[in-house]
């Protein structure tokens, strides 16, 4: 059986279907997946053993100059490429009108997706041949596991889902040859999700006697400057060079533990089965928090939604209890 997945963005959203692929791989021997994904995240699906072909799409970039000659030609080429293959199923796990209209509608095969009461944008369901009801009061990963099971005709396995990508990175690096280290994921897009720099530096100071290197990734110039400020006067803190997403994943895969704000990379740490302490202030982790093994949520105290109210000493205590 050959299945096309439509799940284009963002990083966390793209990681969420991986356990569903693992379920399907075990339930239907020989099943293979192609996956349409935004070009910037095209590395992620390729890490799963059931994915055969990754088909990049550039909806974000095309929107900047939709009627330009380059964008028009790229859209034309994308549609031709997509329609070469007849699929047994097309599963739209995005639930948005733009991806349903631009991708799902064009693909060849029986189209499955969430019904109008389950999808993020109800009108997206118009583009599906089969519409499935999946309760919203579940974590996003569990909702997608159910969607795949309903679309492909098997029961969702009991227990927590398996992303099945950690092995891809453990085979690349011998962890026994690397000194233990922590990764602090300090960057996120929304200002209210940031933990104050003073809190990060206090936590770093508390870790000074532990004998561990702390690695700080970054992805933009402001994040790089923040990493430099956080590392100032701490010789055991390493500001990493600019890395590809695959390189960041390899760093996370080898970490003793990760401390993270609510960001896409925290979902990646979860997918790699690393002990991951995730700090939540204004967001509720129950439905879209990091999902997986060894996930530890630290939320703002009762009555507060401010990240500044999460104390560094509490995080240091949690780190000390990770073996």
């Amino acid at each position: 059986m050959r299945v096309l997945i439509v799940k284009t963005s963002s990083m966390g959203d793209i990681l969420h279907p991986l356990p569903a692929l693992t379920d399907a791989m075990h339930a239907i021997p020989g099943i293979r997946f192609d996956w349409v994904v935004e070009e910037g995240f095209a590395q992620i699906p390729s890490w799963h053993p059931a994915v055969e072909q990754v088909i990049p799409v550039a909806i974000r970039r095309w929107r900047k100059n939709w009627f330009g000659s380059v964008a028009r030609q790229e859209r034309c080429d994308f549609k031709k490429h997509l329609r070469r293959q007849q699929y047994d199923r097309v599963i739209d796990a995005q639930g948005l009108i733009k991806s349903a209209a631009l991708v799902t509608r064009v693909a060849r095969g029986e189209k499955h997706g969430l019904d109008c009461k389950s999808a993020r944008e109800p009108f997206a369901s118009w583009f599906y041949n089969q519409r499935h009801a999946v309760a919203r009061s579940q974590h996003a990963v569990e909702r997608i596991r159910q969607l795949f099971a309903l679309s492909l005709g098997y029961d969702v396995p009991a227990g927590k889902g398996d992303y099945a990508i950690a092995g891809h990175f453990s085979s690349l690096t011998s962890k026994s040859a690397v000194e233990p280290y922590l990764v602090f994921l300090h960057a996120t897009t929304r200002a209210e999700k940031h933990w104050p720099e003073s809190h990060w530096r206090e936590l770093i100071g508390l870790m000074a006697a532990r004998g561990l290197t702390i690695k700080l990734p970054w992805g933009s110039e402001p994040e790089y400057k923040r990493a430099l400020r956080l590392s100032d006067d701490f010789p055991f803190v390493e500001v990493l060079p600019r890395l590809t997403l695959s390189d960041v994943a390899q760093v996370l895969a080898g970490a003793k533990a990760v401390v993270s704000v609510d960001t896409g990379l925290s979902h990646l740490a979860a997918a790699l089965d690393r002990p991951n302490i995730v700090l939540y202030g204004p967001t509720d982790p129950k439905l879209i928090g990091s999902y997986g093994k060894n996930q530890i949520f630290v939320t703002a105290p009762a009555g507060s939604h401010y990240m500044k109210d999460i104390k560094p000493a509490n995080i240091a205590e949690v780190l000390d209890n990770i073996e």
Side-chain angles (χ1 to χ4, degrees):
M1 176 178 277
R2 194 174 184 108
V3 178
L4 179 71
I5 302 169
V6 180
K7 188 71 166 175
T8 59
S9 63
S10 57
M11 187 187 302
D13 283 351
I14 294 165
L15 290 160
H16 287 162
L18 294 175
L21 271 69
T22 308
D23 294 344
M25 182 175 68
H26 293 310
I28 306 173
I31 191 170
R32 303 302 294 168
F33 293 94
D34 293 350
W35 190 325
V36 177
V37 63
E38 273 286 343
E39 57 188 1
F41 301 116
Q43 296 175 73
I44 294 175
S46 69
W47 302 335
H48 195 283
V51 173
E52 187 162 292
Q53 181 183 193
V54 179
I55 305 173
V57 68
I59 297 173
R60 290 181 173 182
R61 181 164 54 79
W62 294 340
R63 284 187 305 187
K64 296 177 181 178
N65 187 19
W66 189 260
F67 297 105
S69 59
V70 173
R72 289 203 310 271
Q73 184 61 53
E74 287 184 353
R75 290 200 303 275
C76 181
D77 293 343
F78 167 76
K79 290 177 182 178
K80 287 180 181 178
H81 180 80
L82 189 61
R83 290 190 59 80
R84 288 175 190 160
Q85 178 69 45
Q86 175 70 41
Y87 292 99
D88 298 293
R89 298 284 191 281
V90 177
I91 303 178
D92 188 325
Q94 193 81 26
L96 298 179
I97 294 172
K98 64 180 180 182
S99 51
L102 293 171
V103 182
T104 307
R105 177 182 61 85
V106 176
R108 297 169 60 210
E110 185 178 84
K111 300 169 176 60
H112 290 247
L114 297 169
D115 69 12
C116 63
K117 295 182 179 178
S118 307
R120 278 193 283 179
E121 295 181 357
F123 290 151
S125 65
W126 289 0
F127 295 93
Y128 312 144
N129 303 121
Q130 300 293 330
R131 304 169 183 89
H132 303 288
V134 176
R136 288 175 173 266
S137 57
Q138 306 174 83
H139 192 281
V141 171
E142 295 298 341
R143 298 187 76 221
I144 296 175
R145 292 179 76 193
Q146 287 192 19
L147 173 61
F148 272 58
L150 291 167
S151 300
L152 298 171
Y154 60 84
D155 294 327
V156 178
K160 193 171 286 291
D162 177 11
Y163 292 92
I165 65 170
H168 175 83
F169 293 96
S170 63
S171 65
L172 297 176
T173 303
S174 173
K175 294 179 184 177
S176 61
V178 179
E179 292 296 324
Y181 62 87
L182 305 174
V183 178
F184 286 0
L185 299 176
H186 56 93
T188 186
T189 53
R190 286 169 48 188
E192 64 269 26
K193 291 184 179 182
H194 278 290
W195 205 33
E197 290 184 23
S198 59
H199 287 37
W200 281 114
R201 284 185 57 82
E202 183 178 341
L203 177 59
I204 292 169
L206 290 170
M207 302 307 298
R210 273 59 167 190
L212 296 169
T213 297
I214 297 173
K215 297 179 183 287
L216 303 179
W218 54 275
S220 66
E221 189 63 23
E223 292 171 9
Y224 175 64
K225 291 178 179 178
R226 183 190 304 113
L228 291 177
R229 293 192 297 270
L230 296 181
S231 66
D232 190 35
D233 292 330
F234 292 118
F236 58 94
V237 178
E238 177 186 357
V239 177
L240 298 174
R242 184 185 290 275
L243 300 174
T244 67
L245 188 55
S246 184
D247 290 336
V248 173
Q250 193 164 337
V251 170
L252 291 171
K256 175 182 173 66
V258 179
V259 179
S260 172
V261 292
D262 182 13
T263 181
L265 290 179
S266 69
H267 294 280
L268 180 54
L272 293 166
D273 299 333
R274 303 317 305 145
N276 187 23
I277 303 166
V278 192
L279 315 184
Y280 291 99
T283 51
D284 184 350
K286 292 179 182 177
L287 300 181
I288 56 171
S290 63
Y291 171 104
K293 303 173 184 177
N294 309 312
Q295 301 305 293
I296 303 167
F297 297 164
V298 179
T299 58
S304 171
H305 296 290
Y306 296 107
M307 294 289 287
K308 65 181 178 61
D309 292 330
I310 300 174
K311 302 304 180 186
N314 295 342
I315 308 305
E317 183 178 354
V318 176
L319 282 169
D320 286 340
N321 289 326
I322 293 175
E323 296 182 359

